[in-house]
Structures are given as C-alpha cells and as structure tokens.
C-alpha cells in the first residue's frame, strides 16, 4: 500500500519555488473544488443570495460542508443562532486538524499560522500532512496548497452563480459526486497500513449507519454526519492502536 502521495518531494530553496510546488501539489484539490463550488453558487443564488454575496461567502469562509448546511438551515427558517450552532458543530473537526498540523508548524509566527488556518480544509490537511510526513513541506508550500484550493472553490462558486440558468439542475451533470470521489482518492492514496484502512472503513460505516438509524426511529441531525464518525472512529482507533508512532 502506498505510503505517500506520488508528489514531487524536492524542496525548492526559494519562497516562490516552494509556493509553486505547493500549487502543483494542491491542483487536484482545485479540480475537485471547482464543480462542488459551482453547485454551491447555484444553490446559494437559488436560495436568494446575490451573485456577489455567494462569491463573498465562499471567499471568506472556504467551508464547503458548513456552507451547504448553513444554506439548508437558512432555507428551513432557522435562527441566526441555530445556523451558527449547526455550522460550528460540523466544523469542529478542524480543531482536531489544527492540533495535528500544528506539530509541524513549530517556530512559525502567529500571523502565518492564522493564514494557514484560514485555508485548512479536509483536503488541504490531507495533502499538507502527507507532505510533512515526507519531510518536504514548508510554510510556503502549504500556502500554495491553500491558495490553489481557495481559488478553485471561489472560482467554482462564481461560475455556478453566474451560470445558474445555463447549468440548471446540477444533479444532471453529476457535479455532486466530485467531492466524494476526491475524498475516496485521498483516502486510498494516504492510508499507509491496514490500521489506517480499518479506521477509515469504520468511519465510513458509521457515516452510513447514522442516517439509516432513522428506520428504527432514531433520528440523528445531518449536522453530525461528519463530526460523529470522525471523532468516534478516531477514538476507537486510538484505543485499539495506542502505540503507533506519530511522525
């Protein structure tokens, strides 16, 4: 099983070179974010956002699942507190991501850490963590990964918002499949051993089980479909494999 992504592991000596290297590493994220960002642009404008509001939302939030959930809550008439609570819950996983990536940012100033935190997503976390493990990551390469991811998300939103009438129903084009496909590809590439594979599969099974529990009368809010499997699978993994070396 692959131990790292087949990325360019050479570390340029200049900041510009490291930034460009990060952009190259993050380009697959760009390709994945474009169609999903377009879906958000379509849904946001259909929900009453202006084109500018939709683009600004993506440019300042960069929180795919959180943005979709916020729209759902707003369309359902939820209060501002309810919207903030739902998006906070679904984004709690970034606390875990931040704590994990912080061990690779020792000596990096607060301003730079804050800038990196702004571009922290599931995908940039995966790519940067893999690059850190390979010993090739720098602050500038991480900026590059975040920059190209942000660009893909905002550009996709703009295309969707401007082209809503031309695109129509995004499900006709299968655009909503882009994000799950990208997650699956990252998982296959980054799982280093059977334990990682087992924990990932366990998280997937829990995620599938949560909505299915409604069949037996147990309804779980869809805002918990990401955070519960993530935390529960990580907890079980930590209990079962407590001595795995952290690089």
């Amino acid at each position: 099983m692959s131990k790292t992504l087949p990325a360019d592991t050479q570390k340029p000596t200049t900041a510009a070179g490291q930034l460009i290297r990060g952009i190259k590493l993050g380009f697959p994220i760009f390709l994945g974010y474009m169609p999903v960002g377009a879906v958000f642009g379509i849904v946001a404008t259909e929900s009453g956002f202006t084109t500018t509001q939709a683009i600004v939302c993506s440019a300042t939030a960069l929180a795919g699942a959180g943005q979709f959930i916020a729209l759902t809550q707003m369309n359902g008439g939820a209060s501002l507190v309810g919207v903030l609570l739902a998006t906070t819950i679904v984004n709690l996983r970034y606390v875990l991501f931040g704590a994990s990536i912080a061990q690779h940012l020792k000596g990096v100033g607060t301003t730079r850490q804050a800038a990196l935190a702004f571009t922290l997503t599931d995908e940039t976390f995966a790519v940067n963590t893999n690059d850190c493990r390979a010993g090739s990551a720098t602050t500038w390469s991480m900026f590059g990964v975040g920059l190209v991811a942000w660009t893909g998300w905002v550009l996709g939103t703009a295309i969707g918002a401007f082209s809503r009438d031309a695109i129509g129903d995004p499900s006709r084009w299968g655009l909503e499949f882009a994000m799950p496909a990208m997650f699956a590809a990252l998982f296959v590439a980054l799982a280093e051993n059977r334990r990682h594979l087992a924990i990932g599969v366990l998280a997937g099974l829990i995620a599938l089980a949560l909505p299915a529990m409604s069949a037996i009368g147990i309804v779980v809010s869809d805002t918990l479909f990401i955070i519960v499997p993530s935390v529960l699978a990580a907890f079980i993994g930590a209990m079962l494999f407590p001595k795995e070396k952290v690089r």
Side-chain angles (χ1 to χ4, degrees), residues 16-36:
Q18 294 166 12
L19 181 69
I20 292 172
R21 178 177 172 276
I23 291 173
K24 291 179 179 177
L25 285 177
F27 191 68
I29 303 176
F30 175 91
L31 297 178
Y33 277 7
M34 281 278 287
V36 184

Side-chain angles (χ1 to χ4, degrees), residues 195 199 233-246:
R195 287 172 292 185
I199 295 169
F235 175 77
I236 294 173
M239 292 297 102
L240 294 177
F241 314 115
K243 295 182 179 180
E244 181 169 351
K245 181 179 180 181
V246 178

Side-chain angles (χ1 to χ4, degrees), residues 17-153:
Q18 294 166 12
L19 181 69
I20 292 172
R21 178 177 172 276
I23 291 173
K24 291 179 179 177
L25 285 177
F27 191 68
I29 303 176
F30 175 91
L31 297 178
Y33 277 7
M34 281 278 287
V36 184
V39 174
F40 176 78
I42 294 171
V43 175
T45 50
E46 287 181 344
S47 300
F49 281 45
T50 66
T51 298
T52 301
Q53 288 172 335
I55 295 171
V56 170
C57 180
S58 285
T60 56
L62 191 58
Q67 290 178 227
F68 279 108
I69 288 174
L71 282 180
T72 302
Q73 296 286 317
M74 294 168 66
N75 290 335
S79 65
L80 176 61
V81 173
V83 173
L84 292 175
L85 182 61
T87 53
T88 299
I89 290 174
V90 79
N91 287 324
L92 278 176
R93 66 190 186 282
Y94 293 123
V95 176
L96 304 178
F97 290 174
S100 177
I101 204 75
Q103 64 181 318
H104 303 291
L105 298 175
K106 295 177 181 177
V108 176
T110 304
T111 302
R112 287 192 175 190
Q113 289 198 37
L116 290 173
F118 173 72
T119 61
L120 181 63
T121 68
D122 304 75
E123 296 77 17
T124 61
F125 170 77
V127 170
N128 284 329
T129 297
N130 181 73
D131 203 32
C132 287
R133 289 175 174 174
S136 303
T138 67
T139 304
W140 283 108
S141 72
M142 291 183 181
F143 279 139
V145 173
L147 176 62
V148 73
W150 179 87
T151 302
W153 182 248

Side-chain angles (χ1 to χ4, degrees), residues 184-208:
L186 286 172
F187 173 62
V188 170
L190 294 174
E192 295 182 346
N193 51 50
R194 295 181 186 276
R195 287 172 292 185
H196 292 175
L197 181 62
I199 295 169
V201 171
L202 175 62
L205 291 175
I206 295 172
L208 292 174

